[in-house]
């Protein structure tokens, strides 16, 4: 049989088998090259993948950090998930790219730099110095190993090295600085002819058709807002009648019931002399120790000073130097036998030898503070506050729950709830989305009032607690609703006429200014206009109307004593002609050293960051970046 | 292909083949292993060099912050001497250039940036360096040299507005007000770094006619 196999093995069957077997081996792992069946990928940067999972994780981290930073100001609805995801992804793409580029350029994060970064991180320090144990604990908290952390730190150092290089080498030349000062501190000598809008206001009647057209064209301006009238039940200290203080009797009962809280147990101060003895020692040693302590007792009874003797013979190293003093202690701290003796002695009396696991003691009580109980009068106010709070809270939560249930069970009316709880139904005035006063201005309350359930279905709202912890709750329903609607033409007619006249006056004033400008440019004489000298003004001359200032500084620099001219319309509708007679450049030499340094630093920083941004953009433009359309992750 | 009658014959054939080719097979394996290990040793050597250069460069940045020009020069020179073929040589030249500018020595700064331009191994780095060099040349009123640098390195990528801004400076200096205004305008619209300052520059130009 083997012979047959051998013969056949030379033939085509063998080849077929070999080929069949080799196929799986050849294809093994190929999917990791083709990207088939692996994780979903959201982007590729020069062939390096960014997976959906990495993006999700990074997105969650970003959100968490945002929440921590903003604290209570954080509102999830302020951040559009799609936009934020796209931003996070863009950031990841940039990081991936810059890391690749750094690698390709042969940049490395040195071990030295890595060590320094770890040693100088305050999170890993204890008492101002790096502490290995703290380092390991911090990493364990984050769930990373040292190798992982160091790897990611290395990448971070490498990823920022180019940026640091660009920013550290940014410079501003002296002439650039001078140019910046020349322009920023520039002053211009300006004259102004002002054509007040009021002069162009006419009271000629405006045709109805025009008013109608304006009304229709600006329908959104002439709408009254959507309004509602509310009925509501309010739970708070007043409506629940919590103001009533607890009776004296109640306070006394509480005092009696909780007397232990106000009891300060007996305390004693004692000193002792110990002849140490192993609890398992034999009878002979025991007898020796006993004899020894009796002898010491004799000395004490004979009138020797306790403290002196304790220092001399006590075998308790903790107390002997203090003359055996143990300080003040209450029950439950000392060995039971010791305690029993110590709490039975009179002050000054010397105990008989007491056997404890430590050996034989002689005890003398040097001070007694008897048990004290704070009298009722002293704690009355405290109790009153506690009871009021407990009752208030208890009652509030109880009532709130009942109110919520009743309002839910009878969604078409507040009456049952009001009756059951003895609350008064209150009614609001008309409210638009801006809200009313007090609790009716609260955004949560308004959101409920204008919610689909309450507004459209006419149901009671849920129980709303506008401010957590404030013991305040409200249930409301809409009793009248007025949708947003166009104000009738007649009621806004006068407003429209005013607006139309205003518009016409503005246009006329500007036209007059333009006409005047033309005349001035041609050198024709002008008469009857007041020319106002504004003097020399800087870019920050806030006393000059903004439009004038902007125009004055955007007009070309006067050439050959030929003033520059321009016209504009002021915010209040006045027309204006501006004449720039002279430009006085800012001088670097006029800057004080600190101001000059600050300006230089600002420019250098702007250039450093700006160049890095451009550099990154340039890298991106050259890279092969593929972004897949983003979808929301399914796991939240 | 020969067909062998017995196992002995086969063994003989193998032995003969080994005698003939054994040496070259062994040599081949040795060569292969040598190449693999050699490559790895080379890589780790490269890595070590890069790390040394990196550490030296980080130190240079720290020195530059303390503002000792001579020390910056010395350290930058050392990096260029010891690691001339690394990107760090270019980065070090940048830092040196800045120190020279701060010390009011523009010719030295130019030399440093020219060196950086020479050492920079990447087009994006080159463009950035070219912009800086051109600014130095403009500061020295070396208009033609500045124009040559711009000419050589400008492209339509994200650095475009910065090149436009410098072009504006160049043509404004030669009195071509209209072109200058147009160049500044392009730069501003392209989102140049100091758009505000450029606007002020543009508005400060005298009338073009």
């Amino acid at each position: 049989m083997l012979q047959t196999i051998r013969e056949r093995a030379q033939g085509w069957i063998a080849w077929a088998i070999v080929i069949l077997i080799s196929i799986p081996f050849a294809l093994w792992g190929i999917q990791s090259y083709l990207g088939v069946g692996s994780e979903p990928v959201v982007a590729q940067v020069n062939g390096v993948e960014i997976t959906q999972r990495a993006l999700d994780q990074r997105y969650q981290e970003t959100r968490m950090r945002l929440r921590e930073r903003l604290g209570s100001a954080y509102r999830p609805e302020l951040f559009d998930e799609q936009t934020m995801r796209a931003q996070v992804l863009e950031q990841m793409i940039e990081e991936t790219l810059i890391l690749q580029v750094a690698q390709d350029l042969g940049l490395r994060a040195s071990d030295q730099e890595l060590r320094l970064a770890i040693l100088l991180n305050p999170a890993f320090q204890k008492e101002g110095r790096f502490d290995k144990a703290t380092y390991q604990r911090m990493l364990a908290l984050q769930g990373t190993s040292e190798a992982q952390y160091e790897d990611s730190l290395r990448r971070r150092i490498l990823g920022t090295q180019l940026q640091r290089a660009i920013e550290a080498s940014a410079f501003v030349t002296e002439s650039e600085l001078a140019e910046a000062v020349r322009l920023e501190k520039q002053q211009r000598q300006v004259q102004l002819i002002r054509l007040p809008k009021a002069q162009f206001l006419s009271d000629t009647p405006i045709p109805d058709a025009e008013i109608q057209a304006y009304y229709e064209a600006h329908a959104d301006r002439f709408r009254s807002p959507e309004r509602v009238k509310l009925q509501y039940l309010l739970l708070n200290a007043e409506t629940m009648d919590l103001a009533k203080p607890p009776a004296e009797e109640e306070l006394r009962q509480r005092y009696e019931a909780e007397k232990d809280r106000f009891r300060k147990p007996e305390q004693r101060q004692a000193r002792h002399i110990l002849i140490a003895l192993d609890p398992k020692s034999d009878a002979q040693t025991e007898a020796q120790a006993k004899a020894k302590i009796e002898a010491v007792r004799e000395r004490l009874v004979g009138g020797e000073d306790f403290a002196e003797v304790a220092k001399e013979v006590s075998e308790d190293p903790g107390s002997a130097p203090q003359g055996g003093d143990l300080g003040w202690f209450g029950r439950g701290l000392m060995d039971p036998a010791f305690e029993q003796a110590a709490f039975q002695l009179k002050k000054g009396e010397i105990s008989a030898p007491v056997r404890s696991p430590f050996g034989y003691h002689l005890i003398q009580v040097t001070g007694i503070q008897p048990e004290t109980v704070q009298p009722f009068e002293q704690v009355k106010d405290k109790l009153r506050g506690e009871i009021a709070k407990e009752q208030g809270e208890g009652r509030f939560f109880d009532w709130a729950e009942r109110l919520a249930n009743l309002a839910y069970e009878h969604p078409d009316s507040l009456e049952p709830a009001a009756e059951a709880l003895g609350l008064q139904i209150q009614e609001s005035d008309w409210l638009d989305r801006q809200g009313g006063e007090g609790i009716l201005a609260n955004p949560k309350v308004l959101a409920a009032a204008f919610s689909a359930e309450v507004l459209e279905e006419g149901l009671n709202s849920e129980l709303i607690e506008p401010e957590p912890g404030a013991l305040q709750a409200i249930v409301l329903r809409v009793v009248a609703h007025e949708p947003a609607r166009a104000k009738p033409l007649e009621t806004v007619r006068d407003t429209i006429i005013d607006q139309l006249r205003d518009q016409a006056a503005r246009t006329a004033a500007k036209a007059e200014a333009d006409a005047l400008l033309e005349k001035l440019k041609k050198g024709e004489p002008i008469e009857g206009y007041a020319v106002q000298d504004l003097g020399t003004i800087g870019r920050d001359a806030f006393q000059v109307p903004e439009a004038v200032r902007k125009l004055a500084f955007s007009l070309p620099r006067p050439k050959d004593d030929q003033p520059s001219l321009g016209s504009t319309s002021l915010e209040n509708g006045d027309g204006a002609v501006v004449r720039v007679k002279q430009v006085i450049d800012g001088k670097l030499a006029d800057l004080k050293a600190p101001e000059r340094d600050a300006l230089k630093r600002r420019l250098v920083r702007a250039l450093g960051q700006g160049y890095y941004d451009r550099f990154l953009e340039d890298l991106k433009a050259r890279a092969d970046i593929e972004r897949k359309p983003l979808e929301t992750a399914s796991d939240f | 292909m020969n067909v062998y009658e017995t196992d002995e014959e086969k063994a003989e054939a193998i032995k003969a083949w080994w005698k003939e080719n054994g040496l070259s097979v062994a040599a081949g394996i040795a060569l292969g292993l040598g190449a693999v290990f050699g490559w790895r040793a080379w890589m780790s050597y490269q890595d070590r060099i890069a790390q040394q250069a990196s550490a030296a460069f980080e130190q240079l940045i720290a020195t530059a912050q303390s503002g000792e020009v001579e020390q910056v020069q010395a350290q930058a020179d050392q990096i260029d001497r010891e690691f001339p073929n690394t990107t760090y040589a270019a980065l070090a030249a940048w830092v040196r250039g800045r120190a020279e500018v701060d010390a009011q020595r523009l010719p030295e700064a130019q030399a440093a940036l020219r060196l950086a331009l020479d050492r920079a191994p990447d087009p994006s780095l080159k463009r950035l360096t070219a912009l800086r060099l051109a600014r130095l040349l403009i500061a020295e009123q070396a208009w033609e040299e500045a124009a040559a640098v711009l000419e050589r390195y400008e492209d339509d990528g994200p650095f475009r507005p910065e090149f436009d801004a410098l072009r504006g400076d160049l043509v404004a200096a030669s009195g071509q007000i209209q072109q200058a205004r147009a160049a500044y305008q392009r730069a501003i619209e392209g989102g140049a770094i100091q758009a505000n300052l450029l606007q002020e520059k543009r508005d400060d130009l005298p009338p073009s006619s």
Side-chain angles (χ1 to χ4, degrees):
Chain A
M1 157 127 178
L2 283 174
Q3 188 63 32
T4 345
I5 291 177
R6 276 176 68 149
E7 275 162 19
R8 287 278 170 84
Q10 315 277 344
W12 63 271
I13 295 180
W15 283 112
I17 290 173
V18 166
I19 288 168
L20 277 177
I21 290 174
S22 58
I23 287 173
F25 280 102
L27 295 182
W28 192 263
I30 200 168
Q31 81 271 28
S32 65
Y33 295 102
L34 298 177
V36 178
S38 58
E39 282 187 73
V41 166
V42 284
Q44 279 197 353
V45 181
N46 291 329
V48 173
E49 294 174 345
I50 297 174
T51 62
Q52 174 85 45
R53 196 157 50 127
L55 173 63
D56 286 348
Q57 196 188 344
R58 189 62 175 277
Y59 169 71
Q60 295 294 8
E61 284 167 10
T62 311
R63 244 178 31 159
M64 216 118 78
R65 219 168 316 127
L66 209 59
R67 191 176 311 171
E68 270 167 30
R69 211 178 42 218
L70 293 178
S72 57
Y74 176 82
R75 298 250 164 67
E77 65 269 20
L78 287 182
F79 302 99
D80 179 50
E81 187 183 324
Q82 285 302 85
T83 330
M84 211 162 109
R85 265 175 180 280
Q87 281 169 357
V88 171
L89 178 61
E90 210 50 38
Q91 203 184 337
M92 291 176 80
I93 289 175
E94 284 173 6
E95 281 168 18
T96 312
L97 179 62
I98 196 79
L99 214 57
Q100 278 175 7
V101 170
Q103 291 274 7
D104 290 351
L105 291 177
L107 303 189
R108 295 282 182 281
S110 67
D111 292 342
Q112 202 180 333
E113 203 58 28
L114 185 69
R115 203 171 309 126
L116 218 58
I118 294 175
L119 290 182
L120 295 182
N121 188 339
F124 303 144
Q125 288 176 353
K126 206 164 121 187
E127 289 155 11
R129 297 188 56 188
F130 175 74
D131 180 62
K132 179 92 180 169
T134 313
Y135 174 54
Q136 284 163 339
R137 202 177 57 242
M138 291 300 290
L139 293 194
L141 271 177
Q142 291 173 15
T144 50
S145 71
E146 264 175 68
Q148 274 173 333
Y149 176 74
E150 279 159 24
D151 200 44
S152 82
L153 188 59
R154 201 181 276 277
R155 262 178 312 187
R156 215 177 317 149
I157 294 172
L158 182 59
T160 58
Q161 199 172 38
L162 275 170
Q163 181 174 11
R164 282 179 292 127
I166 290 175
E167 289 178 359
S169 58
F171 61 81
V172 173
T173 62
E174 201 64 7
S175 59
E176 283 171 325
L177 191 62
E179 177 76 349
V181 172
R182 184 180 79 78
L183 292 166
E184 283 192 4
K185 300 279 171 192
Q186 190 172 81
Q187 295 204 314
R188 295 189 166 202
Q189 195 186 348
V190 181
Q191 286 181 325
L192 169 69
I193 298 173
R194 204 162 170 156
L195 304 160
K197 178 181 76 181
Q199 286 177 4
F200 302 91
L201 277 176
S202 72
D203 44 12
T204 47
I206 293 172
D208 280 346
E210 211 173 307
I211 296 175
Q212 181 73 31
Y214 189 83
Y215 176 71
E216 278 161 18
H218 301 97
D220 52 323
R221 284 193 212 167
F222 305 114
R223 289 176 76 81
S224 58
E226 183 178 24
R227 301 195 297 175
V228 291
K229 245 182 192 169
L230 302 178
Q231 270 186 350
Y232 59 95
L233 289 175
L234 184 62
L235 270 191
N236 61 22
E238 285 139 56
T239 59
M240 286 191 305
D241 206 13
L242 288 180
K244 192 179 63 178
E248 178 95 4
E249 189 54 33
E250 203 176 342
L251 295 181
R252 201 168 276 285
Q253 276 173 16
R254 171 72 68 109
Y255 176 73
E256 292 302 329
E258 297 182 4
K259 215 167 187 171
D260 278 352
R261 279 175 52 199
F262 308 112
R263 195 189 301 275
K264 198 164 172 245
E266 180 179 359
Q267 295 269 320
R268 289 189 166 212
Q269 190 183 26
R271 47 190 180 185
H272 80 141
I273 291 168
L274 174 71
I275 299 301
L277 193 60
D278 195 308
K280 281 171 281 180
S281 51
D282 55 38
Q284 197 191 347
T285 343
E286 177 106 22
Q288 275 171 7
K290 182 92 190 262
K292 210 166 163 188
I293 197 105
E294 290 289 3
V296 174
R297 188 161 194 277
E298 286 308 316
R299 286 173 64 186
L300 293 174
V301 173
E304 275 187 60
D305 183 55
F306 193 102
E308 293 302 324
V309 179
K311 274 182 201 163
E312 185 192 324
V313 301
S314 176
E315 289 170 8
D316 173 14
S319 71
Q322 285 89 45
D325 189 24
L326 292 167
W328 291 95
F329 54 92
R331 285 181 196 271
L333 277 174
M334 300 293 183
D335 173 74
F338 185 97
E339 181 178 298
Q340 204 187 2
F343 277 85
Q344 269 169 3
L345 286 171
K346 292 197 191 72
K347 192 172 164 181
E349 194 182 350
I350 290 166
S351 73
V354 177
R355 177 76 167 101
S356 84
F358 304 102
Y360 279 106
H361 306 263
L362 292 175
I363 307 168
Q364 186 185 40
V365 172
T366 51
I368 297 177
Q369 249 176 29
E371 175 188 275
T372 53
V373 181
Q374 276 182 289
F376 174 67
E377 291 305 323
Q378 258 180 35
V379 297
K380 196 162 81 174
D381 289 342
K382 190 173 166 193
L383 283 175
R384 182 177 294 130
E386 284 175 12
I387 292 177
K389 187 149 179 272
E390 278 167 31
Q391 285 185 343
E393 269 173 21
R395 192 130 142 234
F396 175 78
F397 289 120
D398 178 38
W399 280 41
E401 197 183 333
R402 283 164 66 198
L403 177 57
N405 288 337
L406 286 162
Y408 179 75
E409 283 160 18
H410 308 277
D412 298 323
S413 167
L414 291 174
E415 293 283 349
E419 227 162 87
L421 295 171
L423 290 171
Q424 198 79 39
I425 296 182
Q426 305 186 53
E427 201 153 307
S428 77
D429 204 352
W430 283 108
L431 296 173
D432 58 23
R433 282 173 196 268
Q434 305 298 316
E437 282 175 2
I439 197 168
L440 297 178
N442 185 285
K444 281 190 195 166
V445 173
L446 289 171
F450 286 95
S451 67
E453 256 173 37
V454 174
L455 192 62
E456 283 155 30
E457 296 173 33
L459 305 178
N460 290 338
S461 75
E462 291 178 341
L463 183 85
I464 309 155
E465 290 186 65
E467 278 155 63
L471 298 195
Q472 198 179 37
I474 186 173
V475 172
L476 56 85
R477 60 183 289 103
V478 167
V479 284
H481 174 220
E482 197 182 77
R485 61 194 162 91
K487 292 179 186 164
L489 176 56
E490 280 322 299
T491 63
V492 295
R493 197 184 160 82
D494 288 347
T495 320
I496 292 179
I497 290 176
D498 283 350
Q499 286 179 6
L500 280 170
R501 284 187 175 146
D502 185 80
Q503 231 175 36
R506 279 169 185 264
T507 319
K510 177 69 169 53
E512 178 84 5
D514 290 346
L516 198 55
L517 176 67
E518 283 314 305
K519 273 193 195 168
L520 283 167
K521 277 188 173 166
K522 287 187 196 134
E524 291 173 21
I526 54 161
E527 264 169 48
Y529 295 103
V531 179
Q532 198 184 341
D533 239 318
L534 297 180
T536 42
I537 59 171
R539 290 182 193 273
D540 53 356
F542 293 109
Q543 73 277 14
V544 177
E546 195 190 356
V548 173
R549 196 164 20 109
K550 278 202 169 143
L551 179 60
F553 276 95
S554 67
L555 286 175
R557 192 183 182 92
K559 198 162 84 174
D560 313 329
D561 289 338
Q562 196 66 34
S564 292
L565 292 158
S567 65
T568 185
S569 187
L570 302 192
E571 211 177 332
N572 69 0
D574 291 358
V577 177
V578 170
R579 173 154 61 186
V580 176
K581 288 179 70 180
Q582 206 193 346
V583 171
I584 302 156
D585 284 328
K587 287 190 192 61
L588 184 55
D590 291 346
L591 252 57
K592 291 195 192 72
E595 202 183 348
R596 176 200 160 99
D597 289 350
L599 177 67
K600 188 167 173 181
R601 268 200 303 278
R602 199 186 80 208
L603 292 176
V604 166
R605 199 177 320 127
L607 280 169
Q609 286 168 0
Y611 274 8
Y612 177 69
D613 290 347
R614 286 295 120 76
F615 173 70
L616 199 56
E617 289 301 320
D618 206 54
L619 294 179
K620 266 162 116 177
R622 288 168 48 211
D624 175 19
I625 298 175
E626 214 179 298
R627 297 175 181 80
K628 310 260 159 68
L630 281 185
E631 15 180 317
T632 314
S634 50
D635 58 345
F636 54 86
Chain B
M1 185 174 174
N2 301 340
V3 178
Y4 303 106
E5 286 309 312
T6 65
D7 289 349
E8 284 79 28
E9 253 180 275
K10 206 180 263 178
E12 278 307 314
I14 291 172
K15 269 183 198 158
W17 181 88
W18 181 250
K19 229 173 225 164
E20 207 170 307
N21 299 307
L23 201 63
S24 25
V25 168
I29 290 173
L31 214 65
L33 286 177
V36 167
F37 284 106
W39 175 248
R40 290 177 65 173
W42 169 245
M43 288 303 276
S44 96
Y45 169 74
Q46 288 283 308
D47 197 66
R48 212 166 55 241
I49 294 290
Q51 283 211 20
Q52 281 168 10
S54 176
F57 176 67
E58 293 284 354
Q59 203 166 12
L60 175 67
I61 289 186
T63 309
Q65 258 140 20
S66 68
E68 294 289 329
V69 191
E70 283 78 23
Q71 252 175 302
V72 172
Q73 288 170 339
Q75 288 184 12
D77 279 351
Q78 196 181 353
I79 291 176
D80 197 63
R81 244 190 347 266
E82 289 180 13
F83 314 103
N85 297 321
T86 65
T87 305
Y88 288 110
L91 304 189
W94 275 357
V95 175
R96 175 175 183 169
R98 185 219 169 126
E100 302 285 11
V101 171
D102 284 346
Q104 317 286 355
R105 302 199 307 204
L106 295 197
E108 284 82 356
Q110 275 176 32
L113 286 186
R114 283 200 193 276
L115 181 70
L117 204 50
D118 185 43
R119 299 283 193 234
D122 171 271
S124 299
L125 287 180
K126 276 199 198 297
R127 279 196 271 277
L128 200 162
T129 315
L131 279 169
R132 288 179 164 173
L133 177 59
R135 280 170 47 210
L136 287 181
L137 292 166
I138 289 173
E140 295 265 81
Q141 311 198 335
W143 312 119
E144 272 159 36
E145 283 177 74
V149 171
L150 295 186
E151 192 82 20
R152 164 118 197 256
Y153 290 99
E154 73 191 323
D155 77 332
D156 268 334
F159 278 116
R160 174 88 253 170
E162 303 313 315
F163 283 106
D164 282 335
L166 297 187
R167 281 260 173 231
D169 289 349
L170 280 183
V171 286
S174 68
Q176 295 165 282
I177 303 304
Q178 208 160 351
Q179 284 94 318
R181 188 165 279 139
Y184 288 141
Q185 190 60 30
R186 274 202 307 279
I188 294 163
E189 279 163 15
I193 297 169
Q194 292 175 313
N196 212 14
L197 200 62
L198 289 175
Q199 245 164 37
E200 293 175 3
K201 265 190 199 180
R202 182 199 61 192
D203 294 342
D204 188 61
L205 292 170
S208 42
S209 53

